[in-house]
Amino acid sequence: MKEIKLFINGDFRTSEKSFTSLNPANGETVAKVYLPSHKDIDQAVDAAENAFYSLEWRGMDQNKRAEILEKISEKLKERRNELVELEVADSGSSLRKAKADVANAASYFKVLAGQLRKFQFEVKDENASRAGFSHNYRVYEPVGVCAQIIPWNFPLVMAAWKIGPVIASGSTSVLKTAEDTPVTASILAEILNDAGLPKGVVNIITGGASEGEYLLANKKVKKVAFTGSTAVGRKIMQNAGERIQNLSLELGGKSANIVLDDADLSIAVDGALYAFLYHAGQACDSGTRLFVEEKIYPEFKEALVKRIKDVKVGLPTDPATAYGPVVNKKQLDTIMGYIETSKKEGAKLLAGGSRMTDGDFSKGYYIQPTLFEVTPDHTIFNEEIFGPVLAITPVKNETEAVKLANQSVYGLAGAVWSKNQQRAINVAKQLETGMVWINEYHLLNPGMPFGGYKQSGIGREMGEEGMKAYLEVKHLWISDCDERAKKPWFDAIF
Ligand code: NAD
């Protein structure tokens, strides 16, 4: 059986406690996973702190760090098949999604390396500087030891987005994987060693809420970066508030997909299905509220209900599968609970609505693609489900679409579908979210920032913003005024 060990100070170690990671498609064991003790977690943080202050890491030139990022990218591609196989087994990702995940993680490290090579860590501000008086610099410095926590939906990609800026900035980290999906991060740990990352710069531990809480409470941690639910994010922010700690949060969403009456209907129908069904709806940016202008609503609804039958739910290992099981029994129960609530509240079920248990499906957690027609007072209009369930609502016009789209505590993403680009841009600019696609969905660009407004988070990942989230900025004032009496403060005190 595969063993997932703790990655501390460049070494892989076992521990006294362990658990098994299960395949959500069939309940089979994927790996034996060692759980860190408090001592292991403390040692991981110590390793990160020692690495942070080591000459080897502090003195490493940015081009050399970029080289390491490029090597990680190459090695991810070399180990692609193994990573895909493990991600499929451990998380229930479809084969297609797992392949895309490995490619995206590799591409992220490569793009980040390019950004790092160009990034200026010391910038003289010509406006602030005055000849004969001072020259003033912005100096970007690594934030220090980070504690990073990731969820189970995109295990490898989430680990990449966390580890990448740590290396780029010259910081160090202890990353905790999610209890359901600890496997591929362990391969990434091997890759970090192979790429020549100095020992202790990145440490990877396993565990759940209690290991996460213990890690975050360590006083040596200077920055917390968390991706997960808004409920846990809120608690982490409260604790970070106690310590005035640097914090990045990537949280939940209830993103709006707006179809205007001049959209290309066949593309918008497929786009709407892709937006909420990718990875069984277990994506933070899923388009789970669909607004369609009244004029085209009957036609659109009919086409959607017809087209949803072409989405193949299947075993994750089947190349034709669009999506497989949800990650675990708890998630299955939560989603089915929302479906039952919607039925009780009188939301109109247009498609799906049941667990799938025939044949091979009986061994896993499969749910039909589900469509409900809802109004804003229905629970699923407002709450994140994280499953293959869409809430669809007709709207009078784009003004009402914008109003309802913004009627959410979340603000992660959204999309507008229209053949008139300018009209779509006008709508997109009114959406209170960190990402809006026009005639697309889910696509990300590693050179551009991703993150949420409102309760979807604080800060951004990827893009220059993603690296700056791991940098402190120092104003360095260098005096050019070397005559005592001419110093501006001289009169103030003498
Ligand atoms: P979760 O909040 O339950 O868990 C996320 C991680 O936090 C896990 O590693 C878990 O072990 C850990 N954790 C749980 N309680 C903790 C605590 N008290 N202290 C420290 N760590 C703790 O979320 P989940 O169910 O694993 O993931 C789904 C959620 O993540 C959804 O809400 C989704 O929208 C969000 N998400 C957001 C993004 C984004 O970029 N905005 C990306 C992926 C997922």
Side-chain angles (χ1 to χ4, degrees):
M1 191 198 314
K2 188 158 188 65
E3 290 198 341
I4 302 303
K5 298 179 180 167
L6 307 169
F7 180 60
I8 297 173
N9 204 28
D11 295 325
F12 290 90
R13 64 163 84 158
T14 59
S15 62
E16 276 175 19
K17 284 196 196 156
S18 66
F19 65 100
T20 47
S21 187
L22 303 177
N23 184 332
N26 52 27
E28 286 170 12
T29 297
V30 179
K32 174 177 180 179
V33 183
Y34 290 99
L35 259 183
S37 63
H38 286 179
K39 193 170 160 205
D40 290 320
I41 298 173
D42 287 341
Q43 286 177 353
V45 176
D46 288 348
E49 193 183 59
N50 290 339
F52 182 68
Y53 290 110
S54 70
L55 270 183
E56 183 186 16
W57 189 234
R58 295 226 98 176
M60 192 182 280
D61 156 67
Q62 71 194 82
N63 286 317
K64 174 74 184 141
R65 296 206 301 277
E67 229 172 78
I68 292 176
L69 290 171
E70 281 156 357
K71 279 192 193 148
I72 296 170
S73 173
E74 283 311 309
K75 287 178 191 299
L76 279 167
K77 284 191 242 164
E78 283 166 23
R79 296 185 71 174
R80 175 177 183 256
N81 292 344
E82 179 189 4
L83 283 161
V84 167
E85 193 185 322
L86 288 170
E87 198 76 310
V88 167
D90 200 32
S91 71
S93 286
S94 70
L95 210 47
R96 290 192 260 176
K97 172 190 172 277
K99 283 180 185 168
D101 283 358
V102 178
N104 289 339
S107 144
Y108 172 61
F109 281 109
K110 174 97 174 119
V111 170
L112 184 61
Q115 283 174 341
L116 175 57
R117 284 188 194 281
K118 284 194 222 126
F119 190 79
Q120 286 184 283
F121 283 85
E122 291 182 15
V123 188
K124 183 179 173 193
D125 190 309
E126 297 297 346
N127 289 325
S129 304
R130 272 167 55 200
F133 185 63
S134 70
H135 46 286
N136 301 65
Y137 280 85
R138 280 186 184 77
V139 181
Y140 291 96
E141 298 178 336
V143 66
V145 176
C146 306
Q148 304 179 299
I149 294 191
I150 56 173
W152 42 259
N153 54 348
F154 288 73
L156 182 67
V157 173
M158 292 293 109
W161 288 8
K162 291 281 178 285
I163 289 171
V166 163
I167 298 172
S169 66
S171 296
T172 60
S173 153
V174 180
L175 171 97
K176 188 193 81 62
T177 53
E179 50 274 62
D180 283 299
T181 54
V183 173
T184 44
S186 168
I187 307 290
L188 183 55
E190 291 172 16
I191 288 176
L192 298 180
N193 273 351
D194 292 347
L197 188 71
K199 283 178 186 300
V201 170
V202 171
N203 306 272
I204 301 180
I205 60 167
T206 60
S210 79
E211 286 76 15
E213 277 182 26
Y214 187 80
L215 168 63
L216 299 187
N218 190 305
K219 292 205 166 56
K220 293 178 178 169
V221 169
K222 297 288 190 306
K223 178 187 172 79
V224 170
F226 171 78
T227 299
S229 61
T230 294
V232 174
R234 182 172 291 114
K235 201 167 155 194
I236 287 175
M237 188 166 174
Q238 280 160 355
N239 292 338
E242 273 300 304
R243 294 162 57 189
I244 321 284
Q245 214 168 17
N246 185 321
L247 181 69
S248 301
L249 298 173
E250 297 287 349
L251 308 175
K254 191 77 199 177
S255 298
N257 212 354
I258 299 174
V259 183
L260 301 180
D261 56 14
D262 59 355
D264 179 321
L265 283 202
S266 71
I267 296 180
V269 164
D270 286 2
L273 293 171
Y274 169 60
F276 89 98
L277 289 175
Y278 191 54
H279 196 30
Q282 302 169 113
C284 51
D285 61 0
S286 288
T288 50
R289 290 183 303 154
L290 180 66
F291 300 106
V292 182
E293 281 197 287
E294 263 171 14
K295 200 168 136 198
I296 55 160
Y297 186 69
E299 189 189 347
F300 191 91
K301 184 167 83 172
E302 194 188 329
L304 195 69
V305 171
K306 195 163 164 232
R307 185 65 165 152
I308 205 168
K309 298 195 180 89
D310 296 335
V311 175
K312 183 177 159 52
V313 183
L315 297 183
T317 44
D318 179 349
T321 290
Y323 75 82
V326 297
V327 74
N328 57 28
K329 175 77 168 56
K330 183 167 166 256
Q331 199 61 20
L332 175 96
D333 291 343
T334 304
I335 299 164
M336 292 312 297
Y338 275 112
I339 290 176
E340 287 318 308
T341 302
S342 306
K343 289 177 183 168
K344 277 191 205 131
E345 288 177 350
K348 189 171 170 199
L349 183 64
L350 301 177
S354 302
R355 181 178 176 181
M356 301 164 78
T357 50
D358 286 353
D360 283 338
F361 290 151
S362 65
K363 298 184 203 148
Y365 311 119
Y366 297 85
I367 300 175
Q368 289 179 323
T370 298
L371 288 181
F372 278 105
E373 193 167 52
V374 306
T375 54
D377 52 349
H378 286 120
T379 302
I380 63 161
F381 182 92
N382 300 296
E383 294 185 17
E384 183 184 48
I385 303 175
F386 231 53
V389 183
L390 179 67
I392 164 165
T393 309
V395 288
K396 282 195 215 68
N397 49 35
E398 56 192 64
T399 310
E400 190 183 23
V402 168
K403 183 169 164 261
L404 290 179
N406 288 338
Q407 190 179 308
S408 173
V409 295
Y410 297 112
L412 190 56
V416 186
W417 301 81
S418 166
K419 281 190 202 140
N420 180 337
Q421 231 178 46
Q422 195 49 54
R423 191 178 167 211
I425 291 170
N426 289 343
V427 174
K429 285 187 175 170
Q430 295 175 68
L431 298 180
E432 294 164 353
T433 64
M435 167 101 226
V436 185
W437 293 274
I438 292 175
N439 299 326
E440 288 294 357
Y441 213 94
H442 283 312
L443 299 186
L444 297 179
N445 180 326
M448 294 296 287
F450 180 75
Y453 289 11
K454 302 195 270 185
Q455 292 187 26
S456 287
I458 293 177
R460 295 290 179 272
E461 293 194 293
M462 301 194 293
E464 190 174 291
E465 294 81 357
M467 181 159 62
K468 280 192 172 162
Y470 288 80
L471 293 168
E472 295 282 9
V473 59
K474 177 177 281 171
H475 172 186
L476 183 63
W477 177 307
I478 304 169
S479 176
D480 291 325
C481 170
D482 44 15
E483 278 180 57
R484 194 169 49 135
K486 282 194 181 161
K487 297 229 175 249
W489 45 265
F490 193 79
D491 279 352
I493 190 156
F494 299 110

